[in-house]
Amino acid sequence: PRCPGSELGGLARQTPFIGTAFLIGSLASVGMPGLCNFPGELLIFFGAIEAVKLKGMTMWVVAPAIFGIVVGAIYQLRAVSHILFGPVPDRFQKVADIQEWWDRLPYILLIVVMLILGFFPSLILNVAEPSVQALLKGGF
């Protein structure tokens, strides 16, 4: 099977701003420390390990989660390598990067939010905690 993005290539060279934004989003997607998905993955692992300790479950309960995250990261990083690096196909030779600051603004805002939530996950966790506690107590 062909890898996603195998018909693309070299777009980091053609569109450095979009390529950088795509790379940061992809790294957030795979749970890179300092980006928004890392705290969630950490909480899942700690919760699974705590469930193993408290409820006497085996570590095989945690293995599918770890396997899924590893496979997802490999898949995403292969796609990034095919899309951003390598030779640029002829049909993409004239693709231009975003030039105007107002066109870059949505990407910049998303990256800033990914960084803020990566370093300060309590901004969301404090809001979600009452609902999670109610859910754990058996009611809503």
Side-chain angles (χ1 to χ4, degrees):
R2 296 173 59 138
C3 181
S6 60
E7 294 180 14
L8 300 171
L11 291 181
R13 200 173 318 118
Q14 295 290 109
T15 59
F17 179 79
I18 293 174
T20 302
F22 179 69
L23 180 62
I24 293 170
S26 295
L27 291 175
S29 174
V30 299
M32 180 76 160
L35 294 171
C36 58
N37 285 1
F38 180 70
E41 288 184 6
L42 215 57
L43 288 173
I44 289 169
F45 285 132
F46 287 154
I49 290 170
E50 193 66 27
V52 167
K53 288 180 187 174
L54 292 178
K55 307 213 186 262
M57 298 176 174
T58 65
M59 284 302 283
W60 290 107
V61 174
V62 181
I66 295 170
F67 179 75
I69 288 173
V70 170
V71 168
I74 290 169
Y75 184 82
Q76 183 72 22
L77 294 175
R78 282 193 65 211
V80 166
S81 71
H82 285 286
I83 292 168
L84 296 181
F85 307 108
V88 180
D90 291 336
R91 66 181 179 196
F92 295 123
Q93 289 294 332
K94 294 183 181 177
V95 172
D97 201 9
I98 299 174
Q99 300 299 323
E100 303 296 334
W101 71 269
W102 58 82
D103 291 333
R104 291 180 178 208
L105 186 61
Y107 298 95
I108 293 168
L109 291 175
L110 285 171
I111 290 168
V112 167
V113 169
M114 285 190 280
L115 287 167
I116 289 171
L117 293 177
F119 284 104
F120 305 104
S122 61
L123 294 172
I124 292 227
L125 293 176
N126 291 341
V127 173
E129 185 178 6
S131 298
V132 172
Q133 291 298 332
L135 196 64
L136 290 174
K137 290 179 183 169
F140 221 93

